Amino acid sequence: MEKILIIGGAGYVGCELTKLLLSKNYQVSVFDLMIYGEDKLPIHKNLNKIKGDIRDIDLLEKIVPGHDSLIHLACISNDPSFELNPLLGKSINYDSFLPIVNISKKNKIKKFIYASSSSVYGVKKENNVTEDLSLEPLTDYSKYKAMCEKILLDNQSSNFCTTILRPATVCGYSSRQRLDVIVNIFTNLAFNNNLISVFGGNQLRPNIHIKDMTRAYLNILQQSNLNIDGKIYNVGYENKSVIDIANLVKNCMDSEIKLITEETNDNRSYHVSSEKIKKELGFVSNFTIKDAIIDLISAFTSNKLVDPLKNPDYFNIKKMQSINLK
Ligand SMILES: NC(=O)c1ccc[n+]([C@@H]2O[C@H](COP(=O)([O-])OP(=O)(O)OC[C@H]3O[C@@H](n4cnc5c(N)ncnc54)[C@H](O)[C@@H]3O)[C@@H](O)[C@H]2O)c1
């Protein structure tokens, strides 16, 4: 049985990825600070949950050996949470990265998969953002993602297969819910407040359904190393404008929803191409933004999400403010 270590595997994407890998008969270890609790992960005979900090090199030295592949998701994972404490953000998102890569290499990890972000491109004049375009990250969160990519590529070797994914914004339901990403924000506001506030509107924001995001990681795990070694792939699906996403959410609701548009100075707009992963690895998305909205409505209707407008568990920045991590 292949053994996979998911660093940051108790987060929004990690919880759903863990479940998918368990269902495909992988042995999974999740190493995570469990900021959002470890109860969001299932109890399963093939799952080993380890609570710890990726900055703890000694602990990593003990945990990494014995795994075949590693998926690195751990992160202060959005701009506002990063900016709350930039030194903390850097220590987690960047300073810990080379040690993790070194330990993985030393312990003969066969595949190292890194969750970067499509935000590394910044704002592009090109209509279709492909992997070969230069990186012009606009925030520290994105800048350190780009710098980690470089570290990983510099360390790629014939015995150490590295793959970088640049995901679009993820949407949909997870047992560790995030309600601070665009589709989820709008669905929460519409369902629980009957009102959506849209800042700007015409900016294009690429999204990917969480089920497709986890399928993408699985796809990479299942590939022969020859296909994916040293490769970088965008992973997105629908490139809709913010206003179109808001209208889609509005039209999925039974009740009347008010839509307010406000000015914004955040005019980032980009159309991310996911043709490369389709052409080279045959990966195509199966789930739409609408599917994600419907899944979230179903979670709200069945009260799976407690106090969704205020609960810090669903908003990374609120959670980081409340735990005062050093
Ligand atoms: N969700 C998105 O829309 C999106 C888009 C592009 C890229 N990504 C990337 O995908 C990855 C997963 O994103 P997510 O949405 O699941 O984020 P998340 O915040 O839900 O999960 C991150 C996990 O990392 C853990 N973590 C944070 N600091 C840690 C530390 N010092 N030691 C150990 N664990 C620590 C947290 O406890 C959390 O469980 C991140 O790297 C993120 O940057 C996400």
Coordinates of all heavy atoms in Angstrom, one line a residue, residues 2-6 67-71 109-113 221:
E2 N 0.6 2.2 -0.9 CA 1.4 3.4 -1.0 C 1.2 4.3 0.1 O 0.0 4.5 0.5 CB 1.1 4.1 -2.4 CG 2.4 4.5 -3.1 CD 2.1 5.2 -4.4 OE1 1.4 4.5 -5.2 OE2 2.5 6.3 -4.6
K3 N 2.2 4.9 0.7 CA 2.1 5.8 1.8 C 2.3 7.2 1.4 O 3.3 7.6 0.9 CB 3.1 5.4 2.9 CG 2.8 4.1 3.6 CD 3.8 3.9 4.7 CE 3.4 2.6 5.5 NZ 4.5 2.3 6.4
I4 N 1.2 8.0 1.7 CA 1.3 9.4 1.4 C 1.3 10.3 2.6 O 0.4 10.1 3.5 CB 0.0 9.8 0.5 CG1 -0.3 8.8 -0.5 CG2 0.2 11.2 -0.1 CD1 0.7 8.6 -1.6
L5 N 2.2 11.3 2.7 CA 2.2 12.2 3.8 C 1.6 13.5 3.2 O 2.1 14.1 2.3 CB 3.6 12.5 4.3 CG 3.8 13.5 5.3 CD1 3.0 13.3 6.6 CD2 5.3 13.7 5.7
I6 N 0.5 14.0 3.9 CA -0.1 15.3 3.5 C 0.2 16.3 4.6 O -0.3 16.2 5.7 CB -1.6 15.2 3.3 CG1 -2.0 14.0 2.4 CG2 -2.1 16.5 2.6 CD1 -3.5 13.9 2.2
H67 N 7.5 7.3 4.0 CA 6.4 7.7 3.1 C 7.0 7.6 1.6 O 8.1 7.8 1.4 CB 5.9 9.1 3.4 CG 5.1 9.1 4.7 ND1 5.7 9.5 5.9 CD2 3.8 8.8 4.9 CE1 4.8 9.4 6.8 NE2 3.6 9.0 6.3
D68 N 6.0 7.3 0.7 CA 6.4 7.3 -0.7 C 6.4 8.6 -1.3 O 7.2 9.0 -2.1 CB 5.5 6.3 -1.5 CG 5.7 4.9 -0.9 OD1 6.7 4.3 -1.1 OD2 4.7 4.4 -0.4
S69 N 5.3 9.3 -1.0 CA 5.1 10.7 -1.7 C 4.6 11.7 -0.6 O 4.1 11.3 0.4 CB 4.0 10.6 -2.7 OG 4.4 9.7 -3.8
L70 N 4.8 12.9 -0.9 CA 4.4 14.0 0.0 C 3.7 15.1 -0.7 O 4.1 15.5 -1.8 CB 5.7 14.6 0.7 CG 5.6 15.6 1.7 CD1 6.8 15.6 2.7 CD2 5.4 17.0 1.2
I71 N 2.6 15.5 -0.2 CA 1.8 16.6 -0.7 C 1.9 17.8 0.3 O 1.5 17.6 1.4 CB 0.3 16.2 -1.0 CG1 0.3 15.0 -1.9 CG2 -0.4 17.4 -1.6 CD1 -1.1 14.4 -2.2
I109 N 11.8 10.5 -0.6 CA 10.4 10.7 -1.1 C 10.4 10.7 -2.6 O 11.2 11.4 -3.2 CB 9.9 12.1 -0.5 CG1 9.7 12.0 1.0 CG2 8.6 12.5 -1.2 CD1 8.5 11.2 1.5
K110 N 9.5 9.9 -3.2 CA 9.6 9.7 -4.6 C 8.9 10.8 -5.4 O 9.3 11.2 -6.5 CB 9.0 8.4 -5.0 CG 9.8 7.2 -4.5 CD 9.2 5.9 -5.0 CE 9.5 4.7 -4.1 NZ 8.4 4.3 -3.3
K111 N 7.8 11.3 -4.8 CA 7.1 12.4 -5.5 C 6.8 13.5 -4.4 O 6.3 13.2 -3.4 CB 5.7 12.0 -5.9 CG 5.6 11.3 -7.2 CD 4.1 11.2 -7.6 CE 3.9 10.6 -9.0 NZ 3.9 9.1 -9.0
F112 N 7.2 14.7 -4.7 CA 6.9 15.9 -3.9 C 6.0 16.8 -4.6 O 6.4 17.3 -5.7 CB 8.2 16.6 -3.5 CG 8.1 17.6 -2.4 CD1 8.7 17.4 -1.2 CD2 7.4 18.8 -2.7 CE1 8.6 18.4 -0.2 CE2 7.3 19.8 -1.7 CZ 7.9 19.6 -0.4
I113 N 4.8 17.0 -4.1 CA 3.8 17.8 -4.8 C 3.5 19.0 -4.0 O 3.2 18.9 -2.8 CB 2.5 17.0 -5.0 CG1 2.8 15.7 -5.7 CG2 1.5 17.8 -5.8 CD1 1.6 14.7 -5.7
L221 N -0.5 11.9 -8.3 CA 0.0 10.7 -7.6 C 0.0 9.5 -8.5 O 0.9 8.6 -8.4 CB -0.9 10.4 -6.3 CG -0.7 11.2 -5.1 CD1 -1.7 10.8 -4.0 CD2 0.8 11.2 -4.6

